[in-house]
Amino acid sequence: MSPTAALPTFDLTATTSHWAEGGGIEVLPRIFEDAINLAVLRRPLPHDLLAGALAQTRAERPLAFSWRGAPDDGLRAALLESVHCPGASGPLVEDVVTLADAMACLFDTDEVGVRLRRMDAPMCPRFHCDNLPVRLVTTYLGPGSEWLPETAVNRAGLGAPTPGKPDIVREEGAIRRLEAGDVALLKGSGWVGNEARGLVHRSPAVGPDQQRLLLTIDPA
């Protein structure tokens, strides 16, 4: 499957300081630029994909899919066995496989780690940066991940909270949020040359009647 099969192009790429965003897949390889630690593909989600995502939030049992391997028919079969209402979830499954394939191609790896989960509460509510090279994040339903421009970060506040540690956020109004459907590559502190510049981000607050359907993909 082509990694661009379900990733449409809508507009030109924009760069602001250390992040890049745009409506075409060409924005994602910009994560390899030294100055960039966030690349965001803005995309609307089609109705059939949203229907499959909604099916995962309406089931009584939470979806918690975790898988590692080649982004091929094995991943597709494992997803179809795990998702709720597989008959209505084909477009969702295909989108996950396409993104996994794109991730493997972009980072020249045979395997990827995939997690698709329904979230009823924030997984990482405190601002932090990941100790890994890079991660793909997309939210199908619910609020997207929140992140900070570098100018709004006090890195001395990162890590476990302790007495006297300063606040991480310098400017509350500077907090940014990814939108549902956005495909984001987050460069972490495990990326060689980016050890002190991992993107600072967190899980958003989830309301009492709100759920998230979150996909993360790591190159293995």
Side-chain angles (χ1 to χ4, degrees):
M1 176 182 293
S2 168
T4 62
L7 304 178
T9 299
F10 295 101
D11 55 26
L12 299 176
T13 298
T15 303
T16 308
S17 183
H18 61 89
W19 72 92
E21 57 185 24
I25 193 174
E26 66 275 2
V27 71
L28 295 180
R30 301 214 40 205
I31 198 68
F32 289 101
E33 298 178 20
D34 290 341
I36 300 296
N37 64 6
L38 173 67
V40 184
L41 168 61
R42 303 284 187 185
R43 61 170 190 163
L45 294 176
H47 293 300
D48 56 353
L49 197 160
L50 282 172
L54 280 168
Q56 311 314 308
T57 65
R58 290 171 177 165
E60 195 171 312
R61 175 176 55 85
L63 174 66
F65 176 81
S66 182
W67 186 89
R68 176 172 172 153
D72 53 18
D73 286 341
L75 171 58
R76 182 178 290 105
L79 280 163
L80 287 171
E81 288 180 0
S82 300
V83 296
H84 304 297
C85 301
S89 301
L92 172 64
V93 167
E94 289 307 313
D95 193 68
V96 174
V97 174
T98 296
L99 292 176
D101 188 30
M103 195 69 167
C105 290
L106 190 60
F107 292 97
D108 192 24
T109 181
D110 294 330
E111 295 187 344
V112 292
V114 178
R115 289 186 293 178
L116 180 64
R117 291 165 291 177
R118 189 183 87 187
M119 312 295 294
D120 302 307
M123 180 176 63
C124 300
R126 180 175 168 83
F127 276 113
H128 65 284
C129 58
D130 294 329
N131 294 318
L132 44 74
V134 67
R135 170 167 286 166
L136 181 149
V137 175
T138 190
T139 302
Y140 289 110
L141 287 173
S145 300
E146 296 178 344
W147 60 278
L148 289 172
E150 191 62 31
T151 55
V153 177
N154 183 351
R155 290 187 177 268
L158 293 172
T162 57
K165 181 171 282 192
D167 291 337
I168 298 170
V169 183
R170 295 185 187 274
E171 309 168 44
E172 287 291 338
I175 297 174
R176 306 292 186 94
R177 175 179 285 179
L178 300 171
E179 301 295 331
D182 289 349
V183 177
L185 292 177
L186 284 59
K187 190 182 286 183
S189 59
W191 185 291
V192 176
N194 196 63
E195 292 84 356
R197 296 184 60 254
L199 185 79
V200 177
H201 62 286
R202 71 180 179 188
S203 301
V206 179
D209 298 320
Q210 198 172 33
Q211 298 181 83
R212 297 177 73 208
L213 184 64
L214 176 69
L215 172 70
T216 63
I217 304 176
D218 302 333

